[in-house]
């Protein structure tokens, strides 16, 4: 364990004089949010197996109703619950822990967590009992049970409170002078994510509250097109939270695994700031082939906003690997051009997860997304399998993989346990990343043949007409199936490793946690 | 040199290393190229969705479509009316759980104004095989100027989730040899 890690671990130690844990509220809340994130992931991955084995047309496992039900479960459990619970843990880590400070108003923090947990359970119950077969976008006039929307509202309000507490913890740390100078870059990235979260959650309130009152029968239905506009103000902005949080985690993992340095604070922070500035506009690229908007609006919003946000990602895509190189050279790997790369800790799952996340996010996720965020190209991509092909490369192989990588450090640092099944942990990121490459690429290509997303049966059995897709589609869906199964298996391994380490793992040897 | 989890002390607003500055400049230039392409392609590319959009009452739209069906009906297929509208006319397609109504019989090289809307939930218009996609939203009439450029048997897949019968929702557009076949496609 390197010195940075040891110094961080010390912040979670039991204080020998007072007998109290440093940061005990933050520590408990990081643990609980991490546990709930993983619980959500269990629901999400069960659904993922069902979806993969159904979309793989040769297997076609589920009944139609369960395909659509599990599609709802998967989207909500993964994209909303897993990701956001994990981000709450990231906020408690980036604020109170990194600033060596405390959580202001611990009671409120607990209340927020309970609200989120209750909301998530309400939503899961509605989904699994078939009262919310509306997919995670829930476009009206499709209507779910009112408690589905109410659960989401509870969850979002809880998250908003946590974001508020995060800002308060910054103020407290500043006032109590728990750190000198400026906040660390990772905290700065988390601040960017938190600012975006406020914008996002306000859109969320603006759309879920009227939808809930409509489901209760109290108000008229929201206009379907206005709903799509505001809903994507939530849906897309929240992806920008995920991006900012993921990049913050890259910097964190760089620091923890190889002591990666920040080349230039100004550039990296400016890039985070670009995320904050140009987010809400990007929701337009979900509406490029919608009837409700004119071309001027579409061009302005998708081009201007997107490319400066893209600029930010291109900057981080350079500074993170460059910082790793410089960090490695400082550690003595200076021979030739590539010793720093060859001697990198490829067997450390935190490191490999970070690298794979950077590569897949940038090359597959970024390129596919920027391409079909264009007005004309969107015509041949909208609602085809290209879309899930794209976002499984961004939020899944990018954000979720980075989060998995950092879990391998959260376990020793926060839970004070050794990572169980270490040989499995070493290969887990490769399995997941490799599976996701197959999965996302084959979906993307299948989509170019017009294969629809969110579709139970492209053999159209029982439909009035029939369609013969290009012969390559069968092959592509087979590769999608295999890649998806590999990735889902890697998620099962991840869950197994995390749960086993936390509940039955060996405690950390004292030397490592106490080493200053 | 410090890592991202350490508070930088003092002034960190300093000039970046050269390699980083160059990269930022390249990236920025690339973004501006992408940005410039968007309006350029919009005005010069000739591939835009030619949407004429207005709000419409979903029931009124359904009534208008049925009127259109009665007017130009020439037959029936799998229980769905087949309609052969005159060249140049306004033609209507209605998405309704879980059918595209009607089956259209068009002529190649002839322009039409194709109206799309729904009388219940969102549907997705996906033309097979060329793979052309539009969102169909209830309450909004999406009118597209189209000129089918090749005779053939086209299908309309619904690619927006619209309830349990979503995957059964398949429509048809038949394009027959027209008077003069002009190049163009959907404009
Ligand atoms: C374990 C690996 C995973 C596999 C194998 C997997 C597989 C799938 C499949 C097969 C679909 C359905 C595509 C369709 O039929 O339209 C899907 C949809 C989706 N997935 Fe995943 N997924 C995985 C992980 C994740 C994660 C971690 C997230 C979020 C962080 C996520 C978010 C989504 C979303 C938002 C949808 C769209 C749901 C919808 O269209 O309503 N997935 N996934
Ligand atoms: Cu439909
Ligand atoms: Cu549908």
């Amino acid at each position: 364990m390197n010195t940075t890690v040891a110094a961080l671990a010390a912040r979670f130690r039991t204080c020998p004089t007072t007998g109290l844990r440093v940061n005990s509220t933050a520590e408990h809340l990081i643990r609980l949010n991490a546990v709930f994130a993983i619980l959500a992931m269990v629901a999400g991955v069960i659904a993922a197996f069902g979806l993969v084995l159904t979309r793989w047309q040769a297997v076609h496992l589920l009944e139609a109703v369960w395909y659509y039900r599990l599609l709802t479960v998967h989207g909500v459990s993964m994209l909303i619950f897993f990701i956001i619970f994990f981000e709450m843990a990231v906020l408690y880590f980036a604020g109170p822990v990194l600033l060596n400070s405390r959580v202001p108003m611990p009671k409120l923090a607990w209340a927020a967590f309970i609200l989120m947990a209750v909301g998530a359970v309400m939503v899961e119950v509605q989904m699994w009992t078939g009262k919310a077969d509306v997919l995670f976008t829930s476009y009206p006039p499709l209507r779910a049970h009112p408690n589905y929307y109410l659960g989401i509202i509870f969850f979002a309000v809880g998250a908003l409170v946590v974001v508020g507490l995060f800002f308060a913890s910054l103020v407290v740390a500043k006032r109590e002078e728990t750190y000198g100078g400026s906040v660390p870059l990772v905290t700065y990235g988390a601040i960017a994510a938190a600012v975006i979260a406020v914008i996002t959650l306000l859109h969320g309130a603006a759309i879920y509250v009227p939808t809930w009152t409509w489901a209760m029968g109290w108000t008229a239905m929201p206009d379907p097109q206005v709903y799509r506009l505001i809903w994507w103000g939530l849906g897309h902005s929240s992806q920008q939270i995920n991006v900012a949080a993921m990049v913050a985690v890259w910097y964190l993992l760089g620091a923890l695994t190889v002591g990666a340095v920040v080349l230039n604070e100004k550039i990296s922070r400016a890039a985070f700031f670009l995320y904050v500035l140009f987010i809400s506009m990007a929701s337009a690229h979900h509406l490029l082939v919608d009837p409700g908007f004119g071309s001027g609006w579409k061009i302005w919003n998708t081009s201007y906003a997107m490319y400066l946000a893209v600029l930010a990602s291109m900057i981080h895509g350079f500074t993170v690997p460059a910082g790793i190189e410089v960090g490695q050279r400082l550690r003595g790997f200076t021979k030739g051009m590539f010793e720093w790369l060859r001697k990198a800790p490829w067997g450390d799952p935190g490191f490999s997860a970070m690298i794979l996340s950077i590569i897949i996010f940038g090359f597959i996720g970024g390129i596919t997304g920027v391409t079909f965020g264009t007005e004309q190209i969107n015509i041949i991509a909208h609602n085809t399998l290209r879309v899930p092909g794209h976002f499984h490369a961004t939020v899944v192989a990018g954000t979720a993989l980075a989060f998995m990588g950092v879990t391998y450090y959260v376990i020793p640092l926060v839970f004070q346990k050794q990572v169980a099944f270490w040989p499995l942990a070493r290969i887990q990121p490769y399995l997941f990343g490799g599976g996701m490459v197959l999965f996302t690429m084959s979906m993307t290509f299948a989509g170019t043949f017009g294969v629809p997303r969110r579709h139970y049966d492209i053999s159209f059995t029982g439909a009035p007409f029939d369609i013969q897709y290009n012969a390559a589609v069968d092959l592509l869906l087979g590769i999608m199936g295999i890649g998806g199964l590999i990735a889902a298996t890697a998620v099962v391994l991840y869950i197994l490793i995390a749960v086993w380490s936390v509940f039955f793992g060996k405690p950390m040897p004292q030397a490592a946690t106490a080493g200053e | 040199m410090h890592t991202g989890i350490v508070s930088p002390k003092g002034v960190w607003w300093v000039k970046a290393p050269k390699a980083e500055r160059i990269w930022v400049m390249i990236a920025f230039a690339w973004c501006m190229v992408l940005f410039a392409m968007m309006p350029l392609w919009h005005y010069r590319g000739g591939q835009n969705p030619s949407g004429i959009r207005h709000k419409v009452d979903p029931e009124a739209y359904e009534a208008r479509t049925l009127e259109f069906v009665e007017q130009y009906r020439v037959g029936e297929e799998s229980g769905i009316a087949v309609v052969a509208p005159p060249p140049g006319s306004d033609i209507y397609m209605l998405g309704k759980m879980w059918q595209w109504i009607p089956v259209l019989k068009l002529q190649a090289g002839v322009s039409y104004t194709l109206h799309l809307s729904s009388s219940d939930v969102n549907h997705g218009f996906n033309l097979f095989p060329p793979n052309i996609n539009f969102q169909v939203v209830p309450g909004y009439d999406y009118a597209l100027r189209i000129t089918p450029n090749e005779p053939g048997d086209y299908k309309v897949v619904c690619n927006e989730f619209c309830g349990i019968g979503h995957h059964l929702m398949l429509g048809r557009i038949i394009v027959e040899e027209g008077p003069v076949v002009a190049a163009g496609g959907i404009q």
Side-chain angles (χ1 to χ4, degrees), chain A residues 325-326 328-344:
Chain A
E325 172 175 354
V326 177
Q328 281 282 77
R329 286 182 186 277
L330 287 176
R331 295 189 338 149
F333 300 115
T334 51
K335 254 187 259 132
M337 290 265 271
F338 292 116
E339 194 196 12
W340 66 273
L341 194 60
R342 263 186 293 116
K343 296 270 173 71

Side-chain angles (χ1 to χ4, degrees), chain A residues 246-270:
Chain A
M246 170 188 73
V247 175
V249 167
W250 289 349
Y251 284 110
L252 173 64
L253 279 172
L256 295 174
T257 55
V258 295
V261 303
V262 181
L263 296 183
N264 182 276
E265 293 279 356
K266 181 175 73 177
I267 300 275
S268 293
R269 285 172 202 237

